[in-house]
Amino acid sequence: MANVVVVGAQWGDEGKGKLVDWLSERADVIVRFQGGHNAGHTLVIDKEVYKLSLLPSGIVRSGKLSVIGNGVVLDPWHLKEEVSKLAGQGVAISPENLMIAENTPLILPVHSELDHSRESSNAVAKIGTTGRGIGPAYEDKVGRRAIRVSDLADPATLSTRIDRLLAHHDALRRGLGMEPVDRDDLMERLTDIAPFILQFAAPVWNVLAEKRKAGKRILFEGAQGSLLDVDFGTYPFVTSSNVIAGQAATGSGMGPGSIDFVMGIVKAYTTRVGEGPFPTELDDADGQRLGERGHEFGVVTGRKRRCGWFDAALVRQTCSTSGVNGIALTKLDVLDGFETLRICIGYDLDGKRFDYLPFAADQQARCVPVYEDMPGWSESTEGARSWADLPANAIKYIRRVEELIGCPVALVSTSPEREDTILVTDPFSDKQ
């Protein structure tokens, strides 16, 4: 059976929640492999709206195993709140349908406090972080001082880990003019939350290996978007983890050979939340129209998203770094009614043409998008479920996107409803 990785191929907010839910109905296991509760997914099922930020999207479907992999940074208190909220919507969550990798690092209050302190400082340029402690938690993981899920099971080990962590953080906090961490309070809070978290703890790498041997279909769910990848994104305005498809292997404990199909989720235009370069950003009526029609506000933060034309050069770049086999084109209906649509096909940098965005920040700032114009359509595409339902110019737009990014369209989404989807290529087929 084919195993599928879903990644965002822009700056996030591409509509992964709906597509993962659409795919999860046919999967047996759904795995989150990076990020934390800084990225949100909205699912609409039978008119019921579910807002998730840490739990895998498959959790709302019965009979599926949802997994939080070791590549995620986990805020245990947020997880408890999210589980409680879903329980109020009738979603039963137990160790039978949720597992957390034992080697998953935790997000602690010290991490969010550090995040807020840094972002509010006038000494350095703002990154645009959500303030949820994601970056500092990944720093501690790499610095080998993180507290992991398995540490909660043994008070002596936990105590040692806290001492190692605070030796770093208290020194850092002094430099930022912050009070030292209350060690006893942190120990007490972790001891209190431990039973809740440990009930879900499991050797995920081993469980996934057994599921694969048994022929189960595994869906790997990424958060955010590839242009926020710590290596290949618009650094330093990025997240603190690898977002591209290769992280599905290291963030879950499965080898790269277990991945059969990579689906890149791509919005029919471009949006970005927070700071950082955005070559096709629109500060005019067209940009406002895209934002209003697309309801472009962050699920987690509520922040207004910046909007612009589709950037084929950037998507071609992310399709390459993630090895995307096919894209799911979302929010096509938002483009309904535009007389003319523009697609960025490259950049002009000081008179020289580039077909990719350079990594150097000063060069990115000077890149001027080179556009190709296409006729729009006046008909509605909302709710379309077949090619026959689409206007001719909408199909031409989709085909041109395929040509420019060098990757075929596997799915087209025409509304938040999961059924409003046009299937072109079945990603779960083992006959690609």
Side-chain angles (χ1 to χ4, degrees):
M1 293 293 185
N3 298 323
V4 178
V5 177
V6 174
V7 293
Q10 293 160 307
W11 276 294
D13 311 309
E14 302 95 348
K16 291 183 294 297
K18 171 195 167 174
L19 271 301
V20 169
D21 173 63
W22 192 89
L23 291 166
S24 68
E25 187 173 41
R26 304 180 59 215
D28 301 296
V29 184
I30 299 88
V31 184
R32 267 288 304 271
F33 60 85
Q34 54 79 219
H37 63 301
N38 55 334
H41 289 165
T42 299
L43 309 180
V44 182
I45 303 173
D46 297 329
K47 307 300 182 182
E48 181 79 23
V49 178
Y50 302 94
K51 293 185 181 293
L52 309 176
S53 57
L54 183 57
L55 288 166
S57 296
I59 198 69
V60 299
R61 299 212 159 270
S62 61
K64 313 292 181 180
L65 174 61
S66 290
V67 172
I68 296 176
N70 58 277
V72 173
V73 282
L74 174 75
D75 183 321
W77 299 278
H78 176 87
L79 178 65
K80 189 172 183 178
E81 290 176 6
E82 195 167 327
V83 167
S84 177
K85 182 179 178 181
L86 286 179
Q89 292 183 271
V91 179
I93 300 175
S94 72
E96 297 299 314
N97 64 347
L98 176 64
M99 288 186 181
I100 303 173
E102 296 171 319
N103 51 339
T104 300
L106 301 180
I107 298 177
L108 308 174
V110 297
H111 295 132
S112 57
E113 290 165 7
L114 180 58
D115 226 351
H116 283 293
S117 177
R118 286 172 170 170
E119 197 70 0
S120 62
S121 172
N122 294 320
V124 294
K126 289 179 170 54
I127 297 296
T129 172
T130 60
R132 282 163 169 75
I134 310 297
Y138 274 118
E139 289 176 38
D140 283 344
K141 174 183 177 177
V142 176
R144 294 166 293 184
R145 54 183 172 266
I147 295 174
R148 307 199 296 183
V149 168
S150 59
D151 297 330
L152 298 177
D154 179 56
T157 299
L158 180 59
S159 181
T160 301
R161 293 282 192 270
I162 289 177
D163 287 340
R164 180 176 177 83
L165 180 83
L166 297 191
H168 171 81
H169 276 272
D170 279 343
L172 192 59
R173 290 165 73 97
R174 281 195 297 272
L176 292 169
M178 301 171 67
E179 293 294 321
V181 176
D182 186 332
R183 185 194 185 284
D184 292 340
D185 178 68
L186 179 59
M187 182 71 177
E188 182 179 349
R189 293 188 65 182
L190 286 170
T191 301
D192 288 344
I193 199 71
F196 173 78
I197 297 299
L198 290 172
Q199 67 177 317
F200 302 111
V204 159
W205 66 271
N206 193 35
V207 172
L208 293 179
E210 292 300 321
K211 294 291 184 183
R212 188 185 179 207
K213 288 179 183 177
K216 302 298 183 182
R217 286 176 169 174
I218 303 174
L219 182 63
F220 298 89
E221 174 187 2
Q224 301 155 300
S226 299
L227 292 172
L228 295 174
D229 185 271
V230 70
D231 287 310
F232 291 99
T234 48
Y235 192 91
F237 304 100
V238 294
T239 193
S240 297
S241 63
N242 286 112
V243 184
I244 59 176
Q247 177 64 17
T250 52
S252 66
M254 295 193 73
S258 63
I259 299 171
D260 302 299
F261 191 97
V262 178
M263 176 173 285
I265 313 299
V266 179
K267 199 176 287 186
Y269 49 102
T270 310
T271 62
R272 175 165 200 170
V273 171
E275 308 296 326
F278 186 172
T280 66
E281 184 173 11
L282 297 172
D283 293 317
D284 57 12
D286 285 337
Q288 183 175 351
R289 183 177 177 184
L290 288 171
E292 290 174 352
R293 294 201 60 188
H295 306 290
E296 296 298 349
F297 294 91
V299 173
V300 171
T301 63
R303 290 186 294 180
K304 184 179 179 180
R305 296 174 186 142
R306 301 152 64 189
C307 298
W309 296 119
F310 184 80
D311 194 328
L314 278 178
V315 174
R316 181 171 59 245
Q317 193 169 323
T318 57
C319 284
S320 178
T321 55
S322 273
V324 173
N325 300 106
I327 68 165
L329 191 67
T330 68
K331 291 200 169 184
L332 181 68
D333 55 301
V334 175
L335 299 183
D336 292 352
F338 279 91
E339 184 176 343
T340 301
L341 299 172
R342 312 198 81 185
I343 301 177
C344 175
I345 59 175
Y347 313 99
D348 181 277
L349 176 58
D350 302 333
K352 184 178 179 180
R353 178 72 172 268
F354 279 75
D355 63 357
Y356 64 91
L357 190 66
F359 283 129
D362 65 311
Q363 293 182 343
Q364 289 178 348
R366 299 199 309 275
C367 278
V368 178
V370 177
Y371 286 113
E372 177 180 298
D373 290 352
M374 294 193 68
W377 54 88
S378 58
E379 307 94 322
S380 174
T381 63
E382 185 175 1
R385 299 183 183 182
S386 71
W387 287 116
D389 296 332
L390 295 177
N393 282 350
I395 295 175
K396 290 178 182 178
Y397 182 83
I398 294 169
R399 294 307 186 199
R400 186 56 179 150
V401 165
E402 287 182 314
E403 292 173 359
L404 290 171
I405 68 175
C407 189
V409 170
L411 290 166
V412 180
S413 172
T414 57
S415 92
E417 295 291 339
R418 65 187 305 277
E419 294 83 3
D420 295 338
T421 305
I422 301 171
L423 176 63
V424 183
T425 301
D426 184 356
F428 274 120
S429 173
D430 56 3
K431 297 178 181 180
Q432 301 297 340

